[in-house]
Amino acid sequence: MEYFDTSPIELVGYAASLCVLLSFFMKNIRALRIVNSIGCALFVLYGILLPTIPVALTNGAIIGVNVYYLWIHKK
């Protein structure tokens, strides 16, 4: 059963992918940005663990964009 021979790093990547995917099904933009940020944070962790710096940097920047828009819409 090779399907269950998954490393913890791969599980982080799958969880990140699932969060990002789920965020696109959300109609509420605030919820979308929060769930997407969680997925991106997991991708940052994934990028650090691999290590794949472009993955970590890109998703870190996306978190920044999400936080920015959450912040300006909060006012």
Side-chain angles (χ1 to χ4, degrees):
M1 293 301 235
E2 288 187 23
Y3 297 113
F4 298 108
D5 189 27
T6 304
S7 74
I9 295 172
E10 285 179 303
L11 292 176
V12 171
Y14 288 130
S17 296
L18 180 63
C19 286
V20 170
L21 176 66
L22 289 177
S23 74
F24 288 108
F25 287 101
M26 299 186 170
K27 292 181 181 179
N28 179 319
I29 192 72
R30 180 168 159 58
L32 181 151
R33 290 195 182 278
I34 291 169
V35 173
N36 187 269
S37 292
I38 292 167
C40 287
L42 288 169
F43 268 127
V44 168
L45 176 62
Y46 181 70
I48 291 168
L49 292 172
L50 277 181
T52 308
I53 301 306
V55 170
L57 288 177
T58 302
N59 283 282
I62 294 169
I63 292 170
V65 171
N66 283 334
V67 167
Y68 171 77
Y69 280 108
L70 286 168
W71 179 259
I72 65 168
H73 288 295
K74 185 179 180 181
K75 294 180 181 183

